[in-house]
Amino acid sequence: MGRGPDPVPVARRPVLGTGGVVTSSSPFVSLAGARVLADGGTAIDATLAMAAVAWMVLPGQCGLGGDAFAIVREPDGEVWTVSGSGFGPDGGTPELYAGLGLDALPLTGPHAVAVPGAPAAVRTLQGRATRGLDELWAPALRLAREGVAASAKTRADVGEFAAALDADPGARAAFLPGGVPPEVGARLRQADLATTLERLAADPDAFYTGWFADRAVEHLVASGAPYSGAEWAAVAHAPVAPAIATAYGGARLHQTPMPSAGWMVLQQAALCDGELVGSEQLGAPAVHWLAEAAAAAFRDRFASCGSDTDAWQRTLDPAALERTRAAIRSRDRVGPAPMRVAGDTTSTVCVDADGRAVSFIHSLGFTFGARLSVPGTGVILNNRLGRGAYLIDGHPNEVRPRRKPLHTLNAWLLDEPGVGLLHAGNCPGGDGQVQWNMQVISHLVDHGDDPQRAVSLPRFTVFPGSDADVVGRRRELRCEGGIPATTLETLGAWGHDVVPVPVQVGGPGGSALAISMDHRHGCVRAGADPRMEGVALAV
């Protein structure tokens, strides 16, 4: 089968383990998870510890004020998911926003905020953990109090949004010590957030129905968002739900359900199944097929999907799939696909010694979310409502009370009956992630790549997908450096508007993570994207 060019920007070998493995976008995060596994904890325990540390060391990407999704495969083969996302305000009707003169929801400030779902997802996961949050969050509490050395990524994020952070007293205190962005290596302490974590570890319900919810609702209402508080209580429980799935390469691909974008990966997989085996990896036919499959998913999302409809299921109808395959073969454009690749998200993947796997992804939406904090708590709020819901009359994703906006987050795994878990992973990056996840899955399944190579290879992106603020932008195919020049030339001749882009270390093109089970040798292989400071560790 064809092989592509060497991985970029850094070629590494996968990490091998005979017990548990973890992989994440930060050495601090991976170390926290590895320590839990080494001490006999489960993959769920390790995930909860890693999530809290990520809130400290990747503060622009994730936090208690954001959302989170997880997919879990148990040693007996059961696959289940948790979806932590929230509603907008009960008073947030289309008429209200029209009265404010808006034709799209703001991307920052109080009107961009949805009730955070991450704490609800954490609470559900903790119900199946073997250890308490006070123990699992202890490393994060220490980092919050003693300080975290600002990474180049954090320095860049704070510098880019310094004006907005400076306007919020809580964000200013945490991220702009002395009134200026921190130097790389400078310690950032988050005393208010440490106190919040400690209180919520003892009483998680307070986030939605106690002191924290009261403080958050009071601040949002004072800032102009029409919250009642009842919508916060309605998000308090994130139930366990079955995964959605489809066949791919003789295996079963499992994904997180609505309002997650997991169905978009399933649609792409159904369109690509059997089409890429033996193709030249990153050759023009393979890139064309994957790009058009992604464009079809964004087309269908914008045309008919909302979090409270089952329209996504029709995208897997065999007749609909064959019509799209025919268009891809004829090199017709199946878009347009209005999408903006933006958003700062981070994730973890973990497998424990018993074979339990967890793929977990969490986000504030855009970098530092709505750039609005809850006073005295250290919690930055997301901007998921602003980036995810439409102000389009009658659309199934139109903003409505008690309707969750469509999401970009998703997490996946593959298994095979009689064999067991094969692969698990995820890839942050706004609407880019459903495309990049499919590319990583194809590298693993169609080309037999190890997980490190699969997450390192150059990626390509159909631009724009479906973010509310950029619907209708001109379509491009953005290709990272390292994709062969002959591929780019051929794609251009086939009608793609090819735009070369550099590999962005620390940018929105990463950070993909993957693990693969080697059942022949009885070991696990793990990879972390070199586009970030990712590290995979084995115990």
Side-chain angles (χ1 to χ4, degrees):
M1 60 184 65
R3 299 276 294 185
D6 287 337
V8 292
V10 178
R12 305 175 182 170
R13 298 290 185 186
V15 169
L16 305 180
T18 55
V21 297
V22 300
T23 182
S24 81
S25 300
S26 163
F28 284 97
V29 175
S30 294
L31 180 60
R35 281 175 167 164
V36 171
L37 293 185
D39 194 39
T42 69
I44 296 173
D45 298 330
T47 296
L48 291 168
M50 289 191 287
V53 170
W55 300 337
M56 303 304 129
V57 301
L58 296 167
Q61 286 70 66
C62 60
L64 278 168
D67 289 340
F69 293 78
I71 187 166
V72 182
R73 187 183 191 277
E74 299 287 0
D76 64 2
E78 178 194 4
V79 180
W80 53 276
T81 70
V82 179
S83 297
S85 69
F87 303 113
D90 279 349
T93 63
E95 294 75 20
L96 174 101
Y97 298 115
L100 296 174
L102 298 173
D103 56 12
L105 289 168
L107 292 177
T108 59
H111 290 299
V113 176
V115 179
V122 163
R123 181 69 184 277
T124 299
L125 288 169
Q126 202 278 325
R128 297 199 176 193
T130 67
R131 304 180 181 196
L133 289 179
D134 54 347
E135 177 183 348
L136 295 172
W137 285 359
L141 282 166
R142 178 181 59 80
L143 290 172
R145 290 196 172 104
E146 296 180 4
V148 174
S151 66
K153 171 66 172 170
T154 296
R155 168 66 177 83
D157 288 347
V158 174
E160 183 176 359
F161 301 107
L165 296 175
D166 188 57
D168 180 274
R172 183 192 316 127
F175 304 116
L176 292 165
V180 296
E183 296 180 358
V184 173
R187 287 201 180 198
L188 292 176
R189 294 177 174 85
Q190 299 191 61
D192 285 345
L193 185 55
T195 300
T196 298
L197 278 177
E198 194 167 46
R199 294 183 68 180
L200 291 177
D203 180 17
D205 290 340
F207 191 91
Y208 295 104
T209 56
W211 67 269
F212 185 91
D214 293 342
R215 192 174 301 183
V217 171
E218 180 183 8
H219 184 57
L220 285 165
V221 170
S223 301
Y227 278 97
S228 68
E231 63 281 273
W232 283 68
V235 177
H237 301 288
V240 168
I244 56 176
T246 194
Y248 192 74
R252 194 74 173 161
L253 173 61
H254 302 268
Q255 260 285 359
T256 44
M258 278 286 193
S260 159
W263 68 269
M264 299 176 71
V265 180
L266 298 188
Q267 182 185 8
Q268 292 171 76
L271 290 168
C272 293
D273 192 23
E275 300 290 343
L276 304 176
V277 178
S279 63
E280 180 186 354
Q281 198 174 16
L282 296 182
V287 173
H288 167 77
W289 199 279
L290 285 160
E292 292 302 304
F298 283 112
R299 172 202 64 193
D300 293 341
R301 167 176 161 147
F302 182 71
S304 60
C305 287
S307 63
D308 51 5
T309 75
D310 61 1
W312 71 269
Q313 297 181 25
R314 296 194 290 274
T315 69
L316 298 180
D317 176 76
L321 291 169
E322 187 48 45
R323 286 193 296 272
T324 302
R325 287 194 197 98
I328 296 174
R329 289 190 189 99
S330 67
R331 298 176 192 153
D332 291 338
R333 299 281 78 78
V334 300
M339 191 265 302
R340 175 181 179 182
V341 179
D344 258 327
T345 302
T346 193
S347 56
T348 59
V349 185
C350 181
V351 175
D352 62 29
D354 293 328
R356 181 180 294 101
V358 182
S359 178
F360 178 86
I361 187 163
H362 50 157
S363 175
L364 291 172
F366 287 172
T367 308
F368 292 110
R371 290 146 213 167
L372 181 74
S373 70
V374 179
T377 70
V379 174
I380 302 287
L381 295 170
N382 67 83
N383 73 330
R384 184 58 56 181
L385 189 69
R387 79 168 296 186
Y390 298 154
L391 290 183
I392 299 175
D393 187 38
H395 194 280
N397 190 41
E398 181 184 22
V399 65
R400 290 279 179 185
R402 303 302 173 98
R403 172 186 283 170
K404 294 182 178 181
L406 288 178
H407 235 283
T408 55
L409 302 188
N410 67 102
W412 58 267
L413 59 84
L414 285 113
D415 62 8
E416 184 176 348
V419 177
L421 177 68
L422 299 179
H423 311 284
N426 51 55
C427 184
D431 270 336
Q433 63 184 273
V434 293
Q435 309 179 56
W436 303 329
N437 273 328
M438 188 62 235
Q439 291 167 38
V440 169
I441 291 166
S442 177
H443 295 326
L444 292 168
V445 176
D446 297 319
H447 301 282
D449 280 331
D450 67 61
Q452 185 58 60
R453 179 179 170 86
V455 301
S456 302
L457 280 166
R459 294 199 276 268
F460 46 92
T461 310
V462 174
F463 177 94
S466 57
D467 270 353
D469 61 318
V470 290
V471 168
R473 292 272 294 272
R474 181 175 64 91
R475 179 174 161 181
E476 301 171 351
L477 181 59
R478 297 185 170 184
C479 297
E480 279 189 334
I483 296 177
T486 53
T487 294
L488 304 183
E489 293 168 1
T490 302
L491 291 170
W494 290 354
H496 291 276
D497 186 359
V498 175
V499 177
V501 296
V503 176
Q504 292 183 272
V505 177
S511 162
L513 307 170
I515 63 95
S516 298
M517 306 299 294
D518 183 340
H519 292 286
R520 178 186 173 196
H521 296 101
C523 73
V524 189
R525 303 173 189 268
D529 200 322
R531 294 167 181 81
M532 285 279 283
E533 298 173 338
V535 172
L537 296 175
V539 298

